[in-house]
Amino acid sequence: MNFILIAVIVLGCIALVSAVILYVCSKKFAVHEDPRLGQVTALLPGANCGGCGYPGCSGMASALVKGADAGSLEGLLCPVGGQAVMEQVADLLGMAIANTEPMVAVVRCNGTCELRPRIAQYDGLHTCTAMNACGAGETGCGFGCLGCGDCVKACNFGAITINPETGLPEVDEGKCTSCGACVKACPRHIIELRKKGPKGRRVYVRCVNKDKGAVALKACKAACIGCGKCAKECKFDAITIENNVSYIDFNKCRMCRKCVEVCPTHAIVAVNFPAPKPRPVATANTEPVKKEATEASKPNVEQPKQEEIKA
């Protein structure tokens, strides 16, 4: 009986000493978390997509709190939550945040099955990354879309689908959150985040082929040939040509669409613009009227009499 009592007392003393040690350690090595971190994390959408440039929403919340302590939230934006969520976060942290224009993912390739015929057959792993590692893919263009759908798998919001007729990915603007996951997933970097534009209108070059004009046009009938007509037509210096391909700076573009009209291969596209009004066609009935109007507009000059001429 004494042995049992002694064992209980010894174990009790050990437990008491351990509890004291744990208490002292918890006080000495305690990590004090800012309560604002949990509040900011609760306001964020919880997508953990990494589109903000930080590891998940918790990393974004930490960056926002540190930015508020530093006195500026510049450069911090949750692409999924957008301006509405950022305004709530700014109100919670007692900061002001500048208005940011919404972005949307655009596919910079117009090489449909009709315009970019296949010249080979790929039987390997059906991913864009694997096909790109093997070479140019199934067409003669080594820069265009491979159509395996890596971007579709990367999108957590169902905003991208592959069109079975064209073989190209299409972005649903209503679902796109501009998180940038599709941009990172594309091995050929043909997907870009651009400003959504007023009423969703934007102008961009739907080609990234860096080959010279003749080579690019042989691989795809809609390729940019780097002729420079668009750059000469643009009065706002929004178009530059580098590595035989044109690029439109969306910060400088005024969407006049003159570059769209002069592009010989129709590589420049204008999205969500109203259809142009049909021009009036001149008919045979209108020509005499114009002629009569022209004669009526001439000044009435008196002709010299025949007698005066003889004299």
Side-chain angles (χ1 to χ4, degrees):
M1 189 69 178
N2 291 333
F3 292 104
I4 297 176
L5 182 61
I6 292 173
V8 170
I9 294 173
V10 171
L11 291 175
C13 293
I14 293 174
L16 181 61
V17 173
S18 300
V20 172
I21 293 174
L22 290 174
Y23 176 78
V24 172
C25 291
S26 65
K27 292 297 182 182
K28 185 175 181 62
F29 302 105
V31 178
H32 299 282
E33 184 178 284
D34 195 324
R36 295 176 297 175
L37 287 173
Q39 297 173 356
V40 173
T41 304
L43 291 176
L44 296 176
N48 294 316
C49 59
C52 57
Y54 295 92
C57 293
S58 60
M60 178 62 171
S62 177
L64 287 168
V65 172
K66 291 180 181 178
D69 294 338
S72 175
L73 297 180
E74 185 177 357
L76 298 174
L77 174 66
C78 174
V80 179
Q83 188 69 22
V85 170
M86 293 306 298
E87 288 177 357
Q88 295 178 10
V89 172
D91 291 340
L92 175 65
L93 299 177
M95 300 291 294
I97 188 168
N99 292 329
T100 55
E101 295 188 36
M103 308 285 283
V104 67
V106 298
V107 180
R108 295 188 57 205
C109 179
N110 198 27
T112 61
C113 300
E114 181 182 356
L115 299 174
R116 190 177 46 149
R118 293 185 178 184
I119 60 173
Q121 185 176 356
Y122 173 78
D123 292 329
L125 185 64
H126 194 70
T127 64
C128 296
T129 303
M131 187 182 292
N132 184 62
C134 293
E138 296 182 326
T139 67
C141 179
F143 300 90
C145 177
L146 296 168
C148 294
D150 286 16
C151 52
V152 177
K153 299 175 184 177
C155 183
N156 294 324
F157 307 97
I160 305 181
T161 55
I162 299 293
N163 189 323
E165 295 182 0
T166 62
L168 297 176
E170 295 181 352
V171 180
D172 187 341
E173 299 179 15
K175 296 180 179 179
C176 180
T177 60
S178 65
C179 65
C182 55
V183 178
K184 298 176 183 177
C186 181
R188 291 191 169 178
H189 310 291
I190 67 168
I191 303 180
E192 178 190 12
L193 292 179
R194 296 180 69 89
K195 287 184 179 180
K196 200 169 185 178
K199 298 182 180 180
R201 299 172 182 175
R202 52 195 173 274
V203 179
Y204 61 96
V205 181
R206 194 176 282 179
C207 182
V208 294
N209 195 326
K210 298 179 181 179
D211 290 329
K212 292 185 178 180
V215 179
L217 197 60
K218 184 178 180 181
C220 178
K221 296 179 182 178
C224 174
I225 58 177
C227 62
K229 290 184 178 180
C230 53
K232 294 177 182 178
E233 191 70 23
C234 184
K235 299 180 180 179
F236 308 101
D237 296 329
I239 303 179
T240 55
I241 299 177
E242 187 175 355
N243 296 326
N244 303 313
V245 64
S246 300
Y247 180 79
I248 300 178
D249 188 347
F250 53 80
N251 291 314
K252 296 181 180 179
C253 179
R254 296 296 180 268
M255 293 185 289
C256 64
R257 292 179 289 169
K258 292 183 178 180
C259 55
V260 180
E261 299 174 359
V262 300
C263 180
T265 60
H266 306 289
I268 305 177
V269 293
V271 182
N272 294 329
F273 284 87
K277 296 181 180 180
R279 296 180 179 179
V281 180
T283 59
N285 296 331
T286 59
E287 292 180 358
V289 177
K290 291 182 178 179
K291 187 175 181 180
E292 292 177 2
T294 306
E295 292 177 355
S297 61
K298 291 182 180 180
N300 187 13
V301 180
E302 293 184 359
Q303 296 296 331
K305 293 182 181 180
Q306 191 70 14
E307 296 178 355
E308 294 178 357
I309 295 176
K310 290 180 179 179

